[in-house]
Structure formats: C-alpha cells, structure tokens
Amino acid sequence: MGRQCQCHWLLSLQNIKEVASQLAWDLVSFYTGNNTGDVPGNLPAPYYWWEAGAFFGTLVNYWRYTGDDTYNNITMQAILHQAGTGDFMPSNQTHTEGNDDQAFWTFTALMAAEHNFPNPPEDSPSWLAMAQAVFNEQIARWDDRTCGGGLKWQIFPFNNGYTYRNSISNGGLFDIAARLARYTGDATYVDWANKVWDWVTETGLIGPEYYVLDGTYESDNCSELNRVEWTYNNGVFLHGAAHMWNYTKGDSTWKRRIDGLLNAQRTFLSPNKSSENVLYEYACETINTCRTDQFSFKAYLARWMGDVAQLAPWTRDTIATRLRASATAAAAQCVGGKTGTYCGMRWTTGEYDGTTGVGQQMSALEVVQANLFDTVAGPLTNSIGGTSKGNSAAGRGSSEGTAVPGDSSTVTMADRVVAWVATGGLGVLLGGYLYLVVT
C-alpha cells in the first residue's frame, strides 16, 4: 500500500486486500493483550471492554474476507480468555459490564460460527454455545415490571444507567436471536426476535419512518425518548432484520423493515455533493463532540451492511453504492500516524483529521473489506456448512448475572446523565441542543 492509501484501489480486488492488510496491521498495533503480563483480549486505556470484543470481530471479518490468518491465533486466545465460563461474563469484567457489552463479544462468537472460524479446543464451549448462553441469560433479564418489557442497559442495579433501556442492548438481543434463529432453525429464537422488535417499535425507539432512537427511561414508564441517533443502532436492527427475512424465505414484513431502515440511513449519509453517499456520524462528527466509543460506530454499520447485501440480495446495489463511496473516502484519508497509513474518523472532508485510534482504524478497515461481500460466502447455518456445535441449555442459571436482580433501585437523574454522556447527548446539549432530530 505504500505510505498512502490509493483512491483507485477499488479497480482491483487485490488492491482492496492490500489496503485491508495495511489497515489490519495498523489496527493490531493498538493491541497489548498478547504482551507478557497483560490480559488476553483487553485493549489498553481509554478503550472499554466491549470495544475489545468488537476489535476481534473485525479481525474475524478480516480473515473471512481476505483469507489471511495472520491474526487468528491472537483472536482465538482473546475470545476464549474473555468468554469466561462461556457466557462473556469474565471475572475481571462481570460487575461493570452491561448487556450491550456482553452482546458485542457475542457478535464476535456468532461471526466465528457463521463463517467457520477455526473451532475452539474440545474442552472449551463452542462459538455457537457461547452465543446461546448469552441469549439465555439476556432473556432471563427481560424486565416487564415497567415499560411493558425490554432489556436494561446495565445488568446490575449498582451501576449507573440501570434504569435506562437503550436501543443497542435491545438491538443486540434482537440480532443475537435472529442469527440464532437462522443458524439453528429453533422457533424459540424466532419468537424472541419478534418479541424484541415489537417492544422496540411499541415504545417508539423505532418509529414509523424507521429512525432508531438511542433509548428511553424507566422513570416515566419509557414514555420519554432520548432522540439521539447513532449509526450502529440502525445497523444492528438492519442486520437482525436481514437474518429474519432470510430465515423466513422472503417474508414481506421483514422486507418492508429492511427497506425502511436502509432509507433511514440517509441521516448518516453526507449532505455534501463532494462526498455523496459517504457515511458519517451525524450526532457528533460535524460538531466535534465524538468520543472514544463513537469513533468506532461506523465500523459496525459497515460490517453489518456487507452481511445484509448477502442475506437480502435486492439491497446489493444500494449498499454497494454506499460502501464504495465510503471506503474510497475512508482510504484516502488514511495518511496519519507514525507510518503515514493510520486513519482518522472524518471521511467526508477529503482531508485527514489528525486523529488516530482503535475506532477510527476499525471503521476504515470494516468499510474497506465490506466491499468484498460479493467474493465470499454469506453467513452459514448448521444445515448449510456451519460446523459449530450448539448447546441450547447453555447459560441457564449458570451466571450470577442471569436473572433480573430483585433490587429495582431507581437512580433516575444519575442514569439520565450517564446516558447523555455515554451516547454523546451531553456533548450535544452543551453545544446548544438537547437532541438532534431529522427533518
């Protein structure tokens, strides 16, 4: 790739892989968990545990798209170490992790199952069993004592944010259920995918125009919505919906939902003619309030769009147009860091923004490699090539975090502040807005 990404790379399949290879190399340079004395699977500060799970998902996806197994050993080591007993509640994270944190590691396990990433040793839980364990734990936390249902952001009541019900936690459960439904054919997962979707739409987190809002508060029975929108919230529901459409062999309801979510992505497409169809983080990018977590959100949307194009073929032209424009713009600004090949966050300006980090690098790598979706097989199932063996009983009563805790402590104002901070809403508020609404 040389010292600078080439904007003509899309003309050659080999060039895409070469660009991806350089981006992956630079991404892994942030990882320290394979160093002596460090913890496998952890990223150094300022990165939270959930983003480490996403990081290894990106490396599974890199292997899938390119066939390069350079990072498979550190990926296997990291996932197995952080899986704990097989449910992604390791002792070093359990008391601080949320449902969305657990979901992001589970997405990585599901990718490993769906693409036949090398299976774990015989004495370890399988990729599929890990996902099934998390599913069983999360449905046990489904809480209909208020709001008519829903999954809380946090697992334990002593963590701020416990009374906030956010889209990414519920979208995570929806996506896990939808993928397990397609992979196994088990109707239990189908029922839960439908249940989560119904709850999210009934509360208004997904509205009639399919904009996905960030979350809602138990203190007013989930009647007040945090209207901030993030790329990954659109992506997680789009991805799950595509799995459901594919599983149902073309159900028109799921097709309508996919089309609606794709149309709602216009929120995240640059309004500038010079960067037409290029993705950006609408809620924070142009006002410079994005923080560590938000730098990575476009990675997940791009990753999931590649899968959707495979699972729901009529979406391919729309998705390919957006991925190609975004990848070209992303690659063109990867000229930073000590090697002159690290990436920033902003793809719409035509200039490197001076930042580097895991999120920026993951986002560029995922959007570049997603352009290879037509060159590899789509997600497998246990009846179509998948080799991961499941355990539908995994996670039932095995973890201290399985059930909804009896203490329904309400920390409403603290939870609201934490929710604003975690989702970028506080930065928006300080900028003079309570929330951003698409008109």
Side-chain angles (χ1 to χ4, degrees):
M1 183 166 115
R3 300 288 293 176
Q4 182 171 337
C5 293
Q6 301 299 311
C7 295
H8 63 265
W9 60 272
L10 281 168
L11 298 176
S12 164
L13 175 64
Q14 186 57 37
N15 277 355
I16 297 176
K17 291 185 177 182
E18 289 173 1
V19 172
S21 175
Q22 180 66 58
L23 296 178
W25 179 266
D26 291 340
L27 174 63
V28 173
S29 73
F30 291 98
Y31 181 55
T32 60
N34 58 338
N35 293 342
T36 301
D38 212 325
V39 179
N42 277 358
L43 288 169
Y47 305 105
Y48 291 111
W49 181 72
W50 76 270
E51 193 166 346
F55 175 101
F56 289 103
T58 294
L59 293 182
V60 171
N61 221 20
Y62 171 74
W63 164 80
R64 166 208 177 189
Y65 277 127
T66 68
D68 181 357
D69 64 1
T70 299
Y71 310 111
N72 283 14
N73 287 341
I74 63 167
T75 299
M76 173 81 76
Q77 179 194 45
I79 300 171
L80 294 181
H81 191 88
Q82 295 299 328
T85 59
D87 60 355
F88 297 108
M89 292 195 72
S91 58
N92 63 325
Q93 299 293 336
T94 298
H95 291 289
T96 58
E97 76 177 89
N99 284 302
D100 51 352
D101 305 328
Q102 189 183 33
F104 266 90
W105 279 94
T106 308
F107 298 155
T108 296
L110 278 166
M111 290 172 66
E114 291 163 347
H115 301 296
N116 278 348
F117 189 77
N119 285 310
E122 289 293 327
D123 59 351
S124 298
S126 69
W127 308 130
L128 179 59
M130 292 177 189
Q132 290 172 309
V134 173
F135 169 82
N136 286 330
E137 290 180 7
Q138 291 203 350
I139 64 171
R141 299 178 196 135
W142 185 265
D143 186 4
D144 56 10
R145 295 174 297 182
T146 57
C147 301
L151 194 62
K152 295 171 179 286
W153 175 20
Q154 299 296 338
I155 296 172
F156 296 107
F158 47 75
N159 287 324
N160 285 334
Y162 182 69
T163 61
Y164 189 60
R165 303 197 182 188
N166 60 345
S167 288
I168 194 58
S169 293
N170 286 278
L173 175 57
F174 168 68
D175 190 53
I176 292 166
R179 293 164 79 170
L180 287 174
R182 181 177 176 273
Y183 194 96
T184 70
D186 188 328
T188 299
Y189 303 124
V190 178
D191 293 343
W192 270 97
N194 283 311
K195 182 173 183 173
V196 178
W197 180 277
D198 290 347
W199 181 82
V200 169
T201 54
E202 287 164 6
T203 58
L205 289 174
I206 297 180
E209 294 187 337
Y210 293 93
Y211 299 119
V212 185
L213 309 183
D214 186 76
T216 186
Y217 310 93
E218 292 179 8
S219 56
D220 50 25
N221 201 36
C222 296
S223 61
E224 181 183 344
L225 302 173
N226 178 352
R227 306 189 72 86
V228 175
E229 296 179 54
W230 300 107
T231 50
Y232 75 160
N233 282 331
N234 174 280
V236 75
F237 284 100
L238 176 67
H239 193 238
H243 277 267
M244 291 301 291
W245 179 86
N246 191 279
Y247 168 77
T248 58
K249 296 180 172 57
D251 181 88
S252 60
T253 297
W254 288 111
K255 182 180 186 301
R256 182 174 67 252
R257 292 165 176 172
I258 293 166
D259 289 340
L261 288 162
L262 276 177
N263 188 53
Q265 280 183 8
R266 65 178 181 266
T267 301
F268 310 114
L269 297 175
S270 174
N272 302 322
K273 189 66 176 176
S274 61
S275 51
E276 188 175 10
N277 288 310
V278 175
L279 292 166
Y280 79 116
E281 201 62 62
Y282 166 77
C284 66
E285 189 170 316
T286 61
I287 54 176
N288 297 318
T289 58
C290 300
R291 289 180 300 278
T292 301
D293 287 355
Q294 288 104 45
F295 289 147
S296 74
F297 287 175
K298 288 182 292 189
Y300 320 127
L301 176 58
R303 175 196 297 175
W304 291 326
M305 287 170 71
D307 283 351
V308 172
Q310 293 179 315
L311 292 163
W314 81 92
T315 67
R316 289 187 174 204
D317 288 347
T318 296
I319 287 175
T321 297
R322 295 172 186 178
L323 289 177
R324 181 167 298 174
S326 297
T328 302
Q333 55 82 54
C334 292
V335 296
K338 58 188 177 184
T339 63
T341 55
Y342 283 75
C343 307
M345 180 189 188
R346 300 184 70 169
W347 304 341
T348 59
T349 64
E351 298 178 350
Y352 172 56
D353 63 11
T355 69
T356 59
V358 169
Q360 295 94 315
Q361 205 69 25
M362 274 202 299
S363 295
L365 175 54
E366 287 283 18
V367 79
V368 165
Q369 64 193 17
N371 280 271
L372 297 169
F373 70 76
D374 260 336
T375 70
V376 297
L380 303 173
T381 71
N382 63 5
S383 60
I384 310 175
T387 62
S388 190
K389 305 300 182 184
N391 177 6
S392 62
R396 291 180 179 165
S398 64
S399 167
E400 61 181 296
T402 297
V404 177
D407 177 4
S408 58
S409 305
T410 303
V411 198
T412 56
M413 184 51 67
D415 288 352
R416 287 170 189 260
V417 171
V418 170
W420 286 338
V421 171
T423 64
L426 186 57
V428 175
L429 178 61
L430 294 174
Y433 304 92
L434 179 59
Y435 53 77
L436 296 169
V437 182
V438 178
T439 58

